[in-house]
Amino acid sequence: MAYLLRRLLHGALVLVGVSVLSFLFVQLAPGEFFSDMRLNPQVSPETIRHLRAQYGLDRALPIRYVRWARSVAKGDWGYSFAYGLPVSKLIWSRARNTLLLTITSALLAWLISIPLGIYAAERRDRWGDRVTVAGSSALLTVPDLLLALALLILAIRTNAFAAGGMTSPDFAELGTVAKIKDVAAHFTLPLAALVLGTLPIFFRHVRAGMIEALALPSIQSARAHGIPRSRILFRYALPAAANSLISLFGFSIATLLSASLLVEVVMSWPGLGPMLLEAILARDLYVVIGAVMLSTFFLVAGNLVADVLLYLSDPRIRRGPA
Amino acid sequence: MEPLLEVRDLHVDYLSDGMPPAQVLRGVSFTVSKNEAVGILGESGCGKSTLALAILRLLPSRSRLKGAIFYKSRELTNLPEREMEKLRGAEVSLIFQDAGSSLHPTLRVGTQIADVAAAHHKDWSARQRREGAEAILKEVGFDQVERIYASYPHQLSGGQQQRIAVAQALISGPSLLIADEPTSSLDTTVQAEILALLKRLRREHSLALVFVSHNPAVLAEMADRILVVYAGQIVEEGSAQQVLNSPLHPFALALLRCVPKDVRHNGPDRLLSAIPGSPPDPAETPAGCPFAPRCAERMDVCGSRMPSETRPEPDRKVRCFKYGG
């Protein structure tokens, strides 16, 4: 238990540290949201001063940080200059779409890569292995951008999938079932792009981990005692390979928020990616900090999930350092 | 009488990309009778462990095996993997050198023993498996059987871990136990305990034993007959007494000189000698006797061709030109 509490405390410290640092770094960047207004002769300096005071930009950095922290406690996470909305509401409406995409793709990629990796490791150097390894290498060399574009071209040529966006223009008039179908149709393409992008990486880790595990003395010994092959693979070798895979799984959670940024922009998926790009360009301070904090949260949560899984799967960790 | 195990002209090569194959075993032949204990003596890297793995067909995938292995008259080298699985543990068991790494780190040891029972007794209930495992734990000398059953390997000492490995090896009632340096990583006192345990279990279960070791003193304790292996060949074979007391092959002689006869009298007057040089590269095929470069009694003929096996005495074999070759 002490182990988990320590990890939890560690995670909380990381979150606080990142919030302070992101405040400092955003401050270091030149310009602010209202800089552009100054060039506009129709906006008086008086108005700008008034706006800055309204958003608290005329105060010293520590005071702004404290105000922001208070707003976090209230659940607003500051206000967006551009939208005039609480950051939490703004980000959540977009992050939802991103998470729908990335969680599904991560689960799908893991569900495919674990059996495939075990299969390839089991048939190491034989045809089944060679074909899957060659396939994954080929996928790995294709840049994500090219993959997304190729899928878009495919969709437009075949007309089988909806290309771009998340819903059709007539979405509001559809029934519930038709709505789900419509989202699914728009969903397929970015999902395929993401799965094809991450699958080869997961697959290679599973395969390498299993090959390493199968060569362990404990697996050799299980074979020497006549434990059947299927049982060796799933009950002995997979848990032996689990530690590094669990760490990778935690990392894949950490990237859930950012993994799809490129695909979102290319396929105009209304996720966090396009909004974040816009916020950074406009120096919409609190939106950027909010997105950074959410990413950090996922990083911390991913590591925490990995720690808990390791704790459950490995009795040596459970016992802790003596 | 028909032997329990017969190995006939066994060759094993390890293959690697862009390199000549390493010939780890070069034509090994021997038999093991029922209830017999055969010691295999040799330096590290001579192919002893490979021999143990080859009998159970546990060699790495990048290897090549030639020759024949008969167990109870059944040829093992062309047996389907599924049949081998049934044979491993139930007929022929293997204990490894380092029990700490041969047990699975994240499974309870009791489960690991019960798993072996489950593999060979498909009709056993979970309760029967547990009872079987607890009975064998008692047999290998544990008192608090339930506590041990629920332990993880890292919670046990090296000697306890090796006892668990023995329990795994014996729970399905094999007729032949292959032990690959089972005590080399243990303290001397624990080593003696494990050897005594193996001796007792051998008697009680009427096991045949193939005991692989680099230590003549251990084999003196355990073996009826000894095969001396050098560079993947059996260079001498005879009863344990014959080989240990009056070795014929210069390698066997040199190996025995490396061992203190009596530790208390090991003063400056009786220096231990090491064998100069190192074993030949398994990737190269030596023209003559593979031991010739390190041999103190080398003759002209030794470098030119391989000596063949002769029988200087009844029940003894040696591969050296000193005895005709």
Side-chain angles (χ1 to χ4, degrees), chain A residues 97-179:
Chain A
N97 298 340
T98 295
L99 289 177
L100 173 69
L101 191 59
T102 50
I103 289 176
T104 320
S105 82
L107 285 180
L108 201 61
W110 276 111
L111 276 179
I112 300 172
S113 57
I114 287 179
L116 206 61
I118 293 176
Y119 169 82
E122 158 76 359
R123 328 216 96 223
R124 189 184 179 189
D125 290 340
R126 283 189 276 170
W127 273 108
D129 179 40
R130 277 164 205 240
V131 170
T132 44
V133 167
S136 80
S137 305
L139 263 181
L140 210 54
T141 53
V142 180
D144 288 352
L145 183 63
L146 203 62
L147 198 67
L149 289 176
L151 283 169
L152 268 181
I153 292 169
L154 184 80
I156 290 163
R157 284 280 163 86
T158 60
N159 248 337
F161 309 102
M166 187 169 170
T167 51
S168 302
D170 58 349
F171 185 72
E173 293 131 46
L174 296 173
T176 315
V177 178
K179 271 186 179 169

Side-chain angles (χ1 to χ4, degrees), chain B:
Chain B
M1 200 182 75
E2 186 167 275
L4 185 67
L5 177 77
E6 182 180 359
V7 174
R8 222 181 269 168
D9 197 28
L10 186 68
H11 291 259
V12 172
D13 300 339
Y14 286 145
L15 313 172
S16 51
D17 297 328
M19 302 236 283
Q23 304 168 39
V24 183
L25 292 179
R26 313 174 192 234
V28 169
S29 302
F30 66 96
T31 61
V32 179
S33 307
K34 214 166 164 282
N35 293 340
E36 190 188 22
V38 173
I40 295 183
L41 179 64
E43 293 173 297
S44 27
C46 71
K48 296 173 299 193
S49 298
T50 298
L51 180 58
L53 292 175
I55 294 171
L56 277 173
R57 295 245 317 269
L58 290 171
L59 294 170
S61 60
R62 292 180 180 185
S63 64
R64 188 167 53 201
L65 183 148
K66 277 180 292 180
I69 301 166
F70 293 94
Y71 175 79
K72 291 187 176 168
S73 310
R74 242 189 342 160
E75 226 286 66
L76 300 189
T77 56
N78 50 24
L79 216 56
E81 176 65 16
R82 212 143 261 243
E83 292 298 308
M84 277 311 296
E85 272 177 11
K86 285 187 201 158
L87 187 125
R88 292 181 195 130
E91 289 287 349
V92 184
S93 278
L94 183 55
I95 311 177
F96 292 89
Q97 170 167 358
D98 184 2
S101 60
S102 73
L103 293 171
H104 197 282
T106 66
L107 292 174
R108 293 178 196 279
V109 295
T111 315
Q112 296 189 50
I113 299 172
D115 266 3
V116 181
H120 299 292
H121 303 274
K122 303 259 190 280
D123 52 326
W124 279 18
S125 67
R127 193 197 160 123
Q128 277 174 307
R129 291 199 293 266
R130 190 183 172 109
E131 283 170 0
E134 287 181 350
I136 196 87
L137 278 173
K138 214 165 246 157
E139 245 197 287
V140 298
F142 286 110
D143 294 325
Q144 295 168 287
V145 167
E146 264 162 50
R147 186 180 64 83
I148 296 294
Y149 189 97
S151 300
Y152 289 100
H154 70 271
Q155 298 168 321
L156 304 176
S157 71
Q160 288 175 317
Q161 288 171 344
Q162 196 55 279
R163 280 170 200 272
I164 300 291
V166 173
Q168 278 186 302
L170 295 188
I171 191 168
S172 297
S175 311
L176 173 63
L177 179 65
I178 303 173
D180 182 8
E181 304 258 13
T183 59
S184 304
S185 58
L186 302 172
D187 293 346
T188 323
T189 48
V190 183
Q191 187 170 344
E193 271 173 45
I194 297 288
L195 291 181
L197 172 74
L198 284 175
K199 267 172 138 177
R200 172 167 67 80
L201 291 172
R202 219 196 112 200
R203 207 170 47 236
E204 289 171 1
H205 291 252
S206 42
L207 279 171
L209 184 66
V210 171
F211 199 104
V212 176
S213 180
H214 66 275
N215 187 346
V218 169
L219 288 186
E221 188 86 358
M222 298 302 294
D224 304 327
R225 205 146 51 81
I226 289 180
L227 317 174
V228 183
V229 178
Y230 185 80
Q233 285 182 325
I234 295 178
V235 295
E236 177 165 356
E237 178 182 342
S239 75
Q241 269 195 330
Q242 289 171 331
V243 173
L244 296 176
N245 294 337
S246 52
L248 298 175
H249 196 280
F251 169 66
L253 196 68
L255 192 63
L256 288 164
R257 278 218 193 102
C258 302
V259 183
K261 280 244 161 41
D262 188 336
V263 181
R264 284 164 299 179
H265 296 151
N266 193 17
D269 53 324
R270 194 196 173 288
L271 279 172
L272 293 176
S273 60
I275 307 177
S278 52
D281 182 352
E284 286 164 20
T285 314
C289 171
F291 188 60
R294 305 168 72 186
C295 185
E297 303 171 68
R298 184 174 51 242
M299 299 178 284
D300 286 342
V301 64
C302 298
S304 58
R305 62 193 172 84
M306 192 85 89
S308 57
E309 202 171 73
T310 54
R311 293 171 186 260
E313 294 168 37
D315 294 330
R316 276 192 99 167
K317 292 180 197 160
V318 66
R319 202 183 268 272
C320 177
F321 287 115
K322 265 170 76 188
Y323 309 94

